[in-house]
Amino acid sequence: MTARPYNFSAGPAAMPAEVLEIAAGEMLDWHGTGMSVMEMSHRGKAFGEIIARAEADLRSLLAIPAQFKVLFMQGGGLGENAIVPLNLSRGGAVDFVISGSWSQKSHKEAGRYAQARVAASNADTKHTTLPAPASWAIGGDAQYVHLCSNETIHGVEFHELPDLKALGSDAPLVIDFSSHVASRPVDWSRVGLAFGGAQKNLGPAGLTLVVVREDLLGHALPICPSAFNYQTVADNGSMYNTPPTYAIYLAGLTFQWLQRQGGIAEMERRNIAKAALLYDFIDRSAFYENRVAPEARSRMNIPFFLQDESRNEAFLAGAQARGLLQLKGHKSVGGMRASLYNAMPIEGVRALVDYMQQFEKEMA
Amino acid sequence: MTARPYNFSAGPAAMPAEVLEIAAGEMLDWHGTGMSVMEMSHRGKAFGEIIARAEADLRSLLAIPAQFKVLFMQGGGLGENAIVPLNLSRGGAVDFVISGSWSQKSHKEAGRYAQARVAASNADTKHTTLPAPASWAIGGDAQYVHLCSNETIHGVEFHELPDLKALGSDAPLVIDFSSHVASRPVDWSRVGLAFGGAQKNLGPAGLTLVVVREDLLGHALPICPSAFNYQTVADNGSMYNTPPTYAIYLAGLTFQWLQRQGGIAEMERRNIAKAALLYDFIDRSAFYENRVAPEARSRMNIPFFLQDESRNEAFLAGAQARGLLQLKGHKSVGGMRASLYNAMPIEGVRALVDYMQQFEKEMA
């Protein structure tokens, strides 16, 4: 395999090269069937095996308990912003923890279907801190509590899921784990529903993962589209409508790759090391800056700034020339952002740090 | 290229081998970017070129007029069954032409959002005829008229779109053209909105094409999810949420392949010849039977039956052994079904007819 550039995109994001090579090799003929996976009927035996193995592998990797359903859906995180309240709000009240752009969007969209309240917010620190759970104002009538457990744009991550029971609430916790799913274990005892677009850590865009506790099914509003009714999707094994078959296949290959790496515990170990390498460098530097409170910093998405922002274009051009791709920050935050998902090896982070050091020297 | 089996799947369906070969070759590095298309930010320059060219090529192929928006969405035809009335019904009345399973499903789902009426139905002939437009009961208050212009399961196709104006109605016509899009020209002067899942004639599952006249935008119900609001999708160039980037890329490669074949007029010529070959053989046979009225027969989906259905399993096993794949009929109709989408060459239809002849002889 020839060396590939290091791709720091926030999503759609780098995939393991091994996964892409397998997919390329099987493109015209999956396992002697004479068909590409994308040419198979979703109701046929071959695709049945592919989706069943993908689900089993994901359940094993993430230790998903039997009382949770795994749904493969479409529409992404922004779709789920409507689909979750359509299924879970019962038209009542819902409490949101605002920790950045994504939870803000979720809160706004839920207002179409439910009384969407703000239980806590870090807006006063420009989304650079974690609102402490003890301070959350959760209503006794909350149908669920929504939390974005990793904010891709602001680079804020909850390193422990809140224990709502210990906070005196019986409401189920809904987490948007799009941008850190499979980067660390999930404490399912604290979760009612988790959703995520695949395009950061699981596979290509166009696939949405929903993991939902069975007792939360069956309460959709009558206006919920059938294709997005969790009960309907679950009853039909994610095949009420034609699923995004090729995306599921690629996610399945990614799950197999994760197993070969040693599973989620090993990925977490690597992700801790990768993030520490970059944060430690930035923190020691007077040239670069990360503005997120240390305890709130994401392992996956690391926004940083050049103290002199007039050098941004030069920084990005030099990075591109070295094969360090897609480092430009989100337009709403500015600066740079390095996303260090599972497919990013520590060598890529080292190459980035080396470049940042050299760029600083050149500018001195 | 080694010979591939002939894949008669109704969808997800056969793709042109040339498209799959290009995709395999570009899997790890699209045009020297060092990235797979599925690893690119949807906001970046490279993917921007891919989606812009895909739209331009599709507009050119289908001769889509400028006053129509082309939207790349998710959720498939069953998703659109809710999304269309959420966007177009204004909560009023909608008239449905029932011609088979898909229009029935569309009618049922629309009832969640609108007064969904039946303007005509071919249920009395078990969905084997076309309800004549002159007989349709279209209300003066209809917000739109829904027609499935090709019924994938029952094998019924409208070979001319109705002229609603000539029928005295000002309502826009909505067509579900999932299973014959790009197989023939579209008379856009008679259409307000057309939608289709990509997985029959355009690309892989997980991409939904919507072509909508601009004046129909902006009337969504307040309960319409933002990610499925046509105005929002149009205003954001199909990037309100992360689009299914790799599926769009594959559809774009398919559009380029269609251009190389000679465009839609040439595909129609081939599709007429392919369908005639199979129907003529079946009609001359006393062993096989197609039950659809000749004027209503689909060029794309040809359901047929063995007069002696006890031989179904033997027929399918023999076909599979000869590399004639996925011929089993839909469970609701039974028997066999051969789908002859654009990617099926006439050689595949000849091979099928040859096998059918030989099977008949062997059974004699």
Side-chain angles (χ1 to χ4, degrees), chain A residues 274-306:
Chain A
K274 283 151 51 183
L277 183 60
L278 184 52
Y279 281 120
D280 289 352
F281 170 74
I282 293 172
D283 285 347
R284 288 194 312 269
S285 159
F287 193 85
Y288 302 100
E289 178 192 15
N290 170 280
R291 296 171 187 167
V292 178
E295 68 280 6
R297 287 174 170 178
S298 169
R299 294 173 186 162
M300 295 287 103
N301 310 102
I302 305 185
F304 63 92
F305 300 86
L306 278 63

PDB file of all heavy atoms in Angstrom, chain A residues 274-306:
ATOM      1  N   LYS A 274      -3.633   9.920  21.118  1.00  0.00           N
ATOM      2  CA  LYS A 274      -3.618  10.848  19.986  1.00  0.00           C
ATOM      3  C   LYS A 274      -4.008  12.254  20.441  1.00  0.00           C
ATOM      4  O   LYS A 274      -3.342  13.254  20.100  1.00  0.00           O
ATOM      5  CB  LYS A 274      -4.579  10.361  18.900  1.00  0.00           C
ATOM      6  CG  LYS A 274      -4.053   9.204  18.064  1.00  0.00           C
ATOM      7  CD  LYS A 274      -5.164   8.294  17.523  1.00  0.00           C
ATOM      8  CE  LYS A 274      -6.268   9.043  16.808  1.00  0.00           C
ATOM      9  NZ  LYS A 274      -7.350   8.128  16.373  1.00  0.00           N
ATOM     10  N   ALA A 275      -5.102  12.339  21.200  1.00  0.00           N
ATOM     11  CA  ALA A 275      -5.580  13.651  21.639  1.00  0.00           C
ATOM     12  C   ALA A 275      -4.557  14.309  22.564  1.00  0.00           C
ATOM     13  O   ALA A 275      -4.291  15.517  22.448  1.00  0.00           O
ATOM     14  CB  ALA A 275      -6.938  13.507  22.343  1.00  0.00           C
ATOM     15  N   ALA A 276      -3.968  13.523  23.464  1.00  0.00           N
ATOM     16  CA  ALA A 276      -2.987  14.084  24.415  1.00  0.00           C
ATOM     17  C   ALA A 276      -1.805  14.682  23.654  1.00  0.00           C
ATOM     18  O   ALA A 276      -1.312  15.758  23.999  1.00  0.00           O
ATOM     19  CB  ALA A 276      -2.517  12.999  25.384  1.00  0.00           C
ATOM     20  N   LEU A 277      -1.364  13.987  22.620  1.00  0.00           N
ATOM     21  CA  LEU A 277      -0.230  14.465  21.832  1.00  0.00           C
ATOM     22  C   LEU A 277      -0.498  15.862  21.269  1.00  0.00           C
ATOM     23  O   LEU A 277       0.333  16.770  21.379  1.00  0.00           O
ATOM     24  CB  LEU A 277       0.024  13.457  20.706  1.00  0.00           C
ATOM     25  CG  LEU A 277       1.202  13.679  19.769  1.00  0.00           C
ATOM     26  CD1 LEU A 277       2.522  13.691  20.541  1.00  0.00           C
ATOM     27  CD2 LEU A 277       1.231  12.572  18.703  1.00  0.00           C
ATOM     28  N   LEU A 278      -1.664  16.053  20.705  1.00  0.00           N
ATOM     29  CA  LEU A 278      -1.968  17.343  20.071  1.00  0.00           C
ATOM     30  C   LEU A 278      -2.271  18.423  21.112  1.00  0.00           C
ATOM     31  O   LEU A 278      -1.764  19.549  21.024  1.00  0.00           O
ATOM     32  CB  LEU A 278      -3.142  17.176  19.092  1.00  0.00           C
ATOM     33  CG  LEU A 278      -3.509  18.428  18.286  1.00  0.00           C
ATOM     34  CD1 LEU A 278      -2.296  19.043  17.582  1.00  0.00           C
ATOM     35  CD2 LEU A 278      -4.611  18.116  17.278  1.00  0.00           C
ATOM     36  N   TYR A 279      -3.092  18.085  22.112  1.00  0.00           N
ATOM     37  CA  TYR A 279      -3.417  19.102  23.137  1.00  0.00           C
ATOM     38  C   TYR A 279      -2.157  19.540  23.884  1.00  0.00           C
ATOM     39  O   TYR A 279      -1.962  20.731  24.153  1.00  0.00           O
ATOM     40  CB  TYR A 279      -4.445  18.559  24.143  1.00  0.00           C
ATOM     41  CG  TYR A 279      -5.878  18.572  23.649  1.00  0.00           C
ATOM     42  CD1 TYR A 279      -6.612  17.391  23.554  1.00  0.00           C
ATOM     43  CD2 TYR A 279      -6.520  19.769  23.310  1.00  0.00           C
ATOM     44  CE1 TYR A 279      -7.936  17.399  23.121  1.00  0.00           C
ATOM     45  CE2 TYR A 279      -7.849  19.786  22.877  1.00  0.00           C
ATOM     46  CZ  TYR A 279      -8.551  18.588  22.787  1.00  0.00           C
ATOM     47  OH  TYR A 279      -9.852  18.596  22.361  1.00  0.00           O
ATOM     48  N   ASP A 280      -1.298  18.577  24.242  1.00  0.00           N
ATOM     49  CA  ASP A 280      -0.078  18.929  24.989  1.00  0.00           C
ATOM     50  C   ASP A 280       0.787  19.879  24.171  1.00  0.00           C
ATOM     51  O   ASP A 280       1.322  20.855  24.706  1.00  0.00           O
ATOM     52  CB  ASP A 280       0.717  17.659  25.339  1.00  0.00           C
ATOM     53  CG  ASP A 280       0.018  16.839  26.406  1.00  0.00           C
ATOM     54  OD1 ASP A 280      -0.996  17.335  26.965  1.00  0.00           O
ATOM     55  OD2 ASP A 280       0.459  15.715  26.677  1.00  0.00           O
ATOM     56  N   PHE A 281       0.905  19.599  22.896  1.00  0.00           N
ATOM     57  CA  PHE A 281       1.701  20.482  22.046  1.00  0.00           C
ATOM     58  C   PHE A 281       1.095  21.888  21.991  1.00  0.00           C
ATOM     59  O   PHE A 281       1.791  22.896  22.154  1.00  0.00           O
ATOM     60  CB  PHE A 281       1.831  19.892  20.634  1.00  0.00           C
ATOM     61  CG  PHE A 281       2.427  20.864  19.668  1.00  0.00           C
ATOM     62  CD1 PHE A 281       3.792  21.156  19.715  1.00  0.00           C
ATOM     63  CD2 PHE A 281       1.632  21.545  18.745  1.00  0.00           C
ATOM     64  CE1 PHE A 281       4.343  22.088  18.846  1.00  0.00           C
ATOM     65  CE2 PHE A 281       2.183  22.474  17.881  1.00  0.00           C
ATOM     66  CZ  PHE A 281       3.534  22.755  17.928  1.00  0.00           C
ATOM     67  N   ILE A 282      -0.214  21.940  21.755  1.00  0.00           N
ATOM     68  CA  ILE A 282      -0.883  23.249  21.657  1.00  0.00           C
ATOM     69  C   ILE A 282      -0.727  24.017  22.971  1.00  0.00           C
ATOM     70  O   ILE A 282      -0.443  25.223  22.978  1.00  0.00           O
ATOM     71  CB  ILE A 282      -2.367  23.072  21.289  1.00  0.00           C
ATOM     72  CG1 ILE A 282      -2.503  22.521  19.862  1.00  0.00           C
ATOM     73  CG2 ILE A 282      -3.132  24.389  21.442  1.00  0.00           C
ATOM     74  CD1 ILE A 282      -3.928  22.125  19.472  1.00  0.00           C
ATOM     75  N   ASP A 283      -0.902  23.317  24.090  1.00  0.00           N
ATOM     76  CA  ASP A 283      -0.857  23.996  25.386  1.00  0.00           C
ATOM     77  C   ASP A 283       0.535  24.542  25.710  1.00  0.00           C
ATOM     78  O   ASP A 283       0.661  25.533  26.422  1.00  0.00           O
ATOM     79  CB  ASP A 283      -1.311  23.048  26.502  1.00  0.00           C
ATOM     80  CG  ASP A 283      -2.813  22.841  26.493  1.00  0.00           C
ATOM     81  OD1 ASP A 283      -3.516  23.611  25.789  1.00  0.00           O
ATOM     82  OD2 ASP A 283      -3.302  21.922  27.173  1.00  0.00           O
ATOM     83  N   ARG A 284       1.559  23.885  25.193  1.00  0.00           N
ATOM     84  CA  ARG A 284       2.930  24.353  25.435  1.00  0.00           C
ATOM     85  C   ARG A 284       3.318  25.481  24.492  1.00  0.00           C
ATOM     86  O   ARG A 284       4.351  26.117  24.663  1.00  0.00           O
ATOM     87  CB  ARG A 284       3.927  23.196  25.279  1.00  0.00           C
ATOM     88  CG  ARG A 284       3.884  22.178  26.415  1.00  0.00           C
ATOM     89  CD  ARG A 284       5.110  21.265  26.378  1.00  0.00           C
ATOM     90  NE  ARG A 284       5.376  20.737  25.039  1.00  0.00           N
ATOM     91  CZ  ARG A 284       4.880  19.584  24.569  1.00  0.00           C
ATOM     92  NH1 ARG A 284       4.102  18.831  25.341  1.00  0.00           N
ATOM     93  NH2 ARG A 284       5.157  19.185  23.347  1.00  0.00           N
ATOM     94  N   SER A 285       2.486  25.702  23.479  1.00  0.00           N
ATOM     95  CA  SER A 285       2.838  26.663  22.440  1.00  0.00           C
ATOM     96  C   SER A 285       2.247  28.043  22.744  1.00  0.00           C
ATOM     97  O   SER A 285       1.137  28.146  23.283  1.00  0.00           O
ATOM     98  CB  SER A 285       2.285  26.157  21.093  1.00  0.00           C
ATOM     99  OG  SER A 285       2.161  27.217  20.178  1.00  0.00           O
ATOM    100  N   ALA A 286       2.986  29.081  22.363  1.00  0.00           N
ATOM    101  CA  ALA A 286       2.427  30.431  22.443  1.00  0.00           C
ATOM    102  C   ALA A 286       1.919  30.862  21.068  1.00  0.00           C
ATOM    103  O   ALA A 286       1.395  31.965  20.900  1.00  0.00           O
ATOM    104  CB  ALA A 286       3.493  31.414  22.936  1.00  0.00           C
ATOM    105  N   PHE A 287       2.076  29.996  20.092  1.00  0.00           N
ATOM    106  CA  PHE A 287       1.736  30.300  18.698  1.00  0.00           C
ATOM    107  C   PHE A 287       0.334  29.798  18.356  1.00  0.00           C
ATOM    108  O   PHE A 287      -0.372  30.407  17.566  1.00  0.00           O
ATOM    109  CB  PHE A 287       2.789  29.624  17.799  1.00  0.00           C
ATOM    110  CG  PHE A 287       2.780  30.065  16.364  1.00  0.00           C
ATOM    111  CD1 PHE A 287       3.469  31.212  15.959  1.00  0.00           C
ATOM    112  CD2 PHE A 287       2.089  29.330  15.399  1.00  0.00           C
ATOM    113  CE1 PHE A 287       3.459  31.614  14.619  1.00  0.00           C
ATOM    114  CE2 PHE A 287       2.088  29.730  14.065  1.00  0.00           C
ATOM    115  CZ  PHE A 287       2.768  30.876  13.677  1.00  0.00           C
ATOM    116  N   TYR A 288      -0.028  28.657  19.014  1.00  0.00           N
ATOM    117  CA  TYR A 288      -1.344  28.034  18.777  1.00  0.00           C
ATOM    118  C   TYR A 288      -2.150  28.065  20.065  1.00  0.00           C
ATOM    119  O   TYR A 288      -1.588  28.177  21.161  1.00  0.00           O
ATOM    120  CB  TYR A 288      -1.173  26.576  18.326  1.00  0.00           C
ATOM    121  CG  TYR A 288      -0.346  26.411  17.072  1.00  0.00           C
ATOM    122  CD1 TYR A 288       1.007  26.030  17.155  1.00  0.00           C
ATOM    123  CD2 TYR A 288      -0.898  26.608  15.812  1.00  0.00           C
ATOM    124  CE1 TYR A 288       1.775  25.871  16.009  1.00  0.00           C
ATOM    125  CE2 TYR A 288      -0.131  26.447  14.666  1.00  0.00           C
ATOM    126  CZ  TYR A 288       1.197  26.080  14.770  1.00  0.00           C
ATOM    127  OH  TYR A 288       1.945  25.921  13.634  1.00  0.00           O
ATOM    128  N   GLU A 289      -3.438  27.910  19.927  1.00  0.00           N
ATOM    129  CA  GLU A 289      -4.297  28.005  21.107  1.00  0.00           C
ATOM    130  C   GLU A 289      -5.538  27.130  20.952  1.00  0.00           C
ATOM    131  O   GLU A 289      -6.160  27.103  19.881  1.00  0.00           O
ATOM    132  CB  GLU A 289      -4.728  29.469  21.272  1.00  0.00           C
ATOM    133  CG  GLU A 289      -5.653  29.733  22.429  1.00  0.00           C
ATOM    134  CD  GLU A 289      -6.274  31.140  22.381  1.00  0.00           C
ATOM    135  OE1 GLU A 289      -6.204  31.797  21.316  1.00  0.00           O
ATOM    136  OE2 GLU A 289      -6.837  31.551  23.393  1.00  0.00           O
ATOM    137  N   ASN A 290      -5.891  26.407  22.010  1.00  0.00           N
ATOM    138  CA  ASN A 290      -7.198  25.737  22.086  1.00  0.00           C
ATOM    139  C   ASN A 290      -7.950  26.384  23.234  1.00  0.00           C
ATOM    140  O   ASN A 290      -7.377  26.618  24.303  1.00  0.00           O
ATOM    141  CB  ASN A 290      -7.028  24.233  22.332  1.00  0.00           C
ATOM    142  CG  ASN A 290      -8.356  23.561  22.667  1.00  0.00           C
ATOM    143  OD1 ASN A 290      -8.831  23.622  23.800  1.00  0.00           O
ATOM    144  ND2 ASN A 290      -8.959  22.936  21.680  1.00  0.00           N
ATOM    145  N   ARG A 291      -9.212  26.744  23.003  1.00  0.00           N
ATOM    146  CA  ARG A 291      -9.943  27.575  23.964  1.00  0.00           C
ATOM    147  C   ARG A 291     -10.926  26.805  24.835  1.00  0.00           C
ATOM    148  O   ARG A 291     -11.723  27.387  25.569  1.00  0.00           O
ATOM    149  CB  ARG A 291     -10.680  28.686  23.204  1.00  0.00           C
ATOM    150  CG  ARG A 291      -9.721  29.634  22.493  1.00  0.00           C
ATOM    151  CD  ARG A 291     -10.410  30.606  21.560  1.00  0.00           C
ATOM    152  NE  ARG A 291      -9.412  31.379  20.796  1.00  0.00           N
ATOM    153  CZ  ARG A 291      -9.692  32.127  19.740  1.00  0.00           C
ATOM    154  NH1 ARG A 291     -10.949  32.225  19.294  1.00  0.00           N
ATOM    155  NH2 ARG A 291      -8.742  32.788  19.102  1.00  0.00           N
ATOM    156  N   VAL A 292     -10.920  25.476  24.703  1.00  0.00           N
ATOM    157  CA  VAL A 292     -11.872  24.659  25.462  1.00  0.00           C
ATOM    158  C   VAL A 292     -11.279  24.323  26.832  1.00  0.00           C
ATOM    159  O   VAL A 292     -10.089  24.016  26.945  1.00  0.00           O
ATOM    160  CB  VAL A 292     -12.222  23.373  24.681  1.00  0.00           C
ATOM    161  CG1 VAL A 292     -13.181  22.490  25.477  1.00  0.00           C
ATOM    162  CG2 VAL A 292     -12.827  23.729  23.320  1.00  0.00           C
ATOM    163  N   ALA A 293     -12.133  24.373  27.863  1.00  0.00           N
ATOM    164  CA  ALA A 293     -11.684  24.015  29.216  1.00  0.00           C
ATOM    165  C   ALA A 293     -11.141  22.586  29.206  1.00  0.00           C
ATOM    166  O   ALA A 293     -11.751  21.698  28.605  1.00  0.00           O
ATOM    167  CB  ALA A 293     -12.850  24.130  30.199  1.00  0.00           C
ATOM    168  N   PRO A 294     -10.003  22.343  29.866  1.00  0.00           N
ATOM    169  CA  PRO A 294      -9.351  21.022  29.761  1.00  0.00           C
ATOM    170  C   PRO A 294     -10.276  19.841  30.016  1.00  0.00           C
ATOM    171  O   PRO A 294     -10.241  18.855  29.288  1.00  0.00           O
ATOM    172  CB  PRO A 294      -8.231  21.112  30.803  1.00  0.00           C
ATOM    173  CG  PRO A 294      -7.864  22.568  30.812  1.00  0.00           C
ATOM    174  CD  PRO A 294      -9.174  23.308  30.597  1.00  0.00           C
ATOM    175  N   GLU A 295     -11.147  19.941  31.018  1.00  0.00           N
ATOM    176  CA  GLU A 295     -11.988  18.784  31.351  1.00  0.00           C
ATOM    177  C   GLU A 295     -13.110  18.564  30.321  1.00  0.00           C
ATOM    178  O   GLU A 295     -13.767  17.535  30.326  1.00  0.00           O
ATOM    179  CB  GLU A 295     -12.576  18.934  32.763  1.00  0.00           C
ATOM    180  CG  GLU A 295     -13.609  20.046  32.928  1.00  0.00           C
ATOM    181  CD  GLU A 295     -12.988  21.446  33.080  1.00  0.00           C
ATOM    182  OE1 GLU A 295     -11.741  21.586  32.952  1.00  0.00           O
ATOM    183  OE2 GLU A 295     -13.764  22.404  33.293  1.00  0.00           O
ATOM    184  N   ALA A 296     -13.302  19.559  29.458  1.00  0.00           N
ATOM    185  CA  ALA A 296     -14.383  19.479  28.475  1.00  0.00           C
ATOM    186  C   ALA A 296     -13.873  19.137  27.074  1.00  0.00           C
ATOM    187  O   ALA A 296     -14.639  19.060  26.129  1.00  0.00           O
ATOM    188  CB  ALA A 296     -15.140  20.815  28.429  1.00  0.00           C
ATOM    189  N   ARG A 297     -12.575  18.941  26.935  1.00  0.00           N
ATOM    190  CA  ARG A 297     -12.007  18.800  25.602  1.00  0.00           C
ATOM    191  C   ARG A 297     -12.327  17.455  24.937  1.00  0.00           C
ATOM    192  O   ARG A 297     -12.156  16.401  25.543  1.00  0.00           O
ATOM    193  CB  ARG A 297     -10.485  18.959  25.687  1.00  0.00           C
ATOM    194  CG  ARG A 297     -10.077  20.392  25.922  1.00  0.00           C
ATOM    195  CD  ARG A 297      -8.593  20.470  26.145  1.00  0.00           C
ATOM    196  NE  ARG A 297      -8.143  21.855  26.131  1.00  0.00           N
ATOM    197  CZ  ARG A 297      -6.880  22.218  26.338  1.00  0.00           C
ATOM    198  NH1 ARG A 297      -5.952  21.291  26.563  1.00  0.00           N
ATOM    199  NH2 ARG A 297      -6.545  23.484  26.306  1.00  0.00           N
ATOM    200  N   SER A 298     -12.686  17.554  23.710  1.00  0.00           N
ATOM    201  CA  SER A 298     -13.014  16.359  22.924  1.00  0.00           C
ATOM    202  C   SER A 298     -11.753  15.642  22.480  1.00  0.00           C
ATOM    203  O   SER A 298     -10.770  16.262  22.075  1.00  0.00           O
ATOM    204  CB  SER A 298     -13.819  16.774  21.695  1.00  0.00           C
ATOM    205  OG  SER A 298     -13.926  15.687  20.790  1.00  0.00           O
ATOM    206  N   ARG A 299     -11.810  14.314  22.513  1.00  0.00           N
ATOM    207  CA  ARG A 299     -10.717  13.520  21.940  1.00  0.00           C
ATOM    208  C   ARG A 299     -10.811  13.447  20.418  1.00  0.00           C
ATOM    209  O   ARG A 299      -9.838  13.106  19.762  1.00  0.00           O
ATOM    210  CB  ARG A 299     -10.782  12.092  22.470  1.00  0.00           C
ATOM    211  CG  ARG A 299     -10.537  11.949  23.934  1.00  0.00           C
ATOM    212  CD  ARG A 299     -10.800  10.494  24.355  1.00  0.00           C
ATOM    213  NE  ARG A 299     -10.712  10.359  25.788  1.00  0.00           N
ATOM    214  CZ  ARG A 299     -11.224   9.336  26.470  1.00  0.00           C
ATOM    215  NH1 ARG A 299     -11.860   8.373  25.826  1.00  0.00           N
ATOM    216  NH2 ARG A 299     -11.103   9.277  27.776  1.00  0.00           N
ATOM    217  N   MET A 300     -11.979  13.707  19.916  1.00  0.00           N
ATOM    218  CA  MET A 300     -12.227  13.499  18.484  1.00  0.00           C
ATOM    219  C   MET A 300     -12.017  14.758  17.653  1.00  0.00           C
ATOM    220  O   MET A 300     -11.498  14.691  16.555  1.00  0.00           O
ATOM    221  CB  MET A 300     -13.680  13.022  18.283  1.00  0.00           C
ATOM    222  CG  MET A 300     -14.000  11.665  18.872  1.00  0.00           C
ATOM    223  SD  MET A 300     -13.260  10.315  17.906  1.00  0.00           S
ATOM    224  CE  MET A 300     -11.868   9.880  18.960  1.00  0.00           C
ATOM    225  N   ASN A 301     -12.504  15.888  18.143  1.00  0.00           N
ATOM    226  CA  ASN A 301     -12.519  17.117  17.348  1.00  0.00           C
ATOM    227  C   ASN A 301     -11.792  18.198  18.125  1.00  0.00           C
ATOM    228  O   ASN A 301     -12.244  18.628  19.188  1.00  0.00           O
ATOM    229  CB  ASN A 301     -13.958  17.556  17.075  1.00  0.00           C
ATOM    230  CG  ASN A 301     -14.813  16.424  16.538  1.00  0.00           C
ATOM    231  OD1 ASN A 301     -15.611  15.832  17.277  1.00  0.00           O
ATOM    232  ND2 ASN A 301     -14.623  16.085  15.276  1.00  0.00           N
ATOM    233  N   ILE A 302     -10.662  18.637  17.589  1.00  0.00           N
ATOM    234  CA  ILE A 302      -9.806  19.572  18.305  1.00  0.00           C
ATOM    235  C   ILE A 302      -9.700  20.870  17.510  1.00  0.00           C
ATOM    236  O   ILE A 302      -8.903  20.977  16.577  1.00  0.00           O
ATOM    237  CB  ILE A 302      -8.416  18.943  18.555  1.00  0.00           C
ATOM    238  CG1 ILE A 302      -8.607  17.599  19.280  1.00  0.00           C
ATOM    239  CG2 ILE A 302      -7.518  19.900  19.316  1.00  0.00           C
ATOM    240  CD1 ILE A 302      -7.338  16.914  19.712  1.00  0.00           C
ATOM    241  N   PRO A 303     -10.535  21.853  17.888  1.00  0.00           N
ATOM    242  CA  PRO A 303     -10.425  23.146  17.210  1.00  0.00           C
ATOM    243  C   PRO A 303      -9.233  23.906  17.801  1.00  0.00           C
ATOM    244  O   PRO A 303      -8.984  23.837  19.003  1.00  0.00           O
ATOM    245  CB  PRO A 303     -11.744  23.850  17.559  1.00  0.00           C
ATOM    246  CG  PRO A 303     -12.303  23.137  18.742  1.00  0.00           C
ATOM    247  CD  PRO A 303     -11.581  21.842  18.923  1.00  0.00           C
ATOM    248  N   PHE A 304      -8.474  24.542  16.963  1.00  0.00           N
ATOM    249  CA  PHE A 304      -7.368  25.374  17.491  1.00  0.00           C
ATOM    250  C   PHE A 304      -7.180  26.594  16.600  1.00  0.00           C
ATOM    251  O   PHE A 304      -7.675  26.652  15.467  1.00  0.00           O
ATOM    252  CB  PHE A 304      -6.079  24.566  17.641  1.00  0.00           C
ATOM    253  CG  PHE A 304      -5.497  24.021  16.366  1.00  0.00           C
ATOM    254  CD1 PHE A 304      -4.544  24.745  15.639  1.00  0.00           C
ATOM    255  CD2 PHE A 304      -5.866  22.774  15.886  1.00  0.00           C
ATOM    256  CE1 PHE A 304      -3.991  24.235  14.474  1.00  0.00           C
ATOM    257  CE2 PHE A 304      -5.321  22.248  14.714  1.00  0.00           C
ATOM    258  CZ  PHE A 304      -4.380  22.982  14.007  1.00  0.00           C
ATOM    259  N   PHE A 305      -6.483  27.570  17.152  1.00  0.00           N
ATOM    260  CA  PHE A 305      -6.317  28.853  16.477  1.00  0.00           C
ATOM    261  C   PHE A 305      -4.851  29.212  16.411  1.00  0.00           C
ATOM    262  O   PHE A 305      -4.077  28.891  17.323  1.00  0.00           O
ATOM    263  CB  PHE A 305      -7.064  29.965  17.231  1.00  0.00           C
ATOM    264  CG  PHE A 305      -8.536  29.714  17.328  1.00  0.00           C
ATOM    265  CD1 PHE A 305      -9.059  28.940  18.363  1.00  0.00           C
ATOM    266  CD2 PHE A 305      -9.403  30.237  16.373  1.00  0.00           C
ATOM    267  CE1 PHE A 305     -10.418  28.692  18.440  1.00  0.00           C
ATOM    268  CE2 PHE A 305     -10.767  29.993  16.457  1.00  0.00           C
ATOM    269  CZ  PHE A 305     -11.266  29.206  17.492  1.00  0.00           C
ATOM    270  N   LEU A 306      -4.472  29.877  15.340  1.00  0.00           N
ATOM    271  CA  LEU A 306      -3.167  30.544  15.304  1.00  0.00           C
ATOM    272  C   LEU A 306      -3.368  31.894  16.012  1.00  0.00           C
ATOM    273  O   LEU A 306      -4.371  32.580  15.760  1.00  0.00           O
ATOM    274  CB  LEU A 306      -2.720  30.773  13.861  1.00  0.00           C
ATOM    275  CG  LEU A 306      -2.049  29.573  13.157  1.00  0.00           C
ATOM    276  CD1 LEU A 306      -3.007  28.391  13.026  1.00  0.00           C
ATOM    277  CD2 LEU A 306      -1.515  29.989  11.781  1.00  0.00           C
TER     278      LEU A 306
END
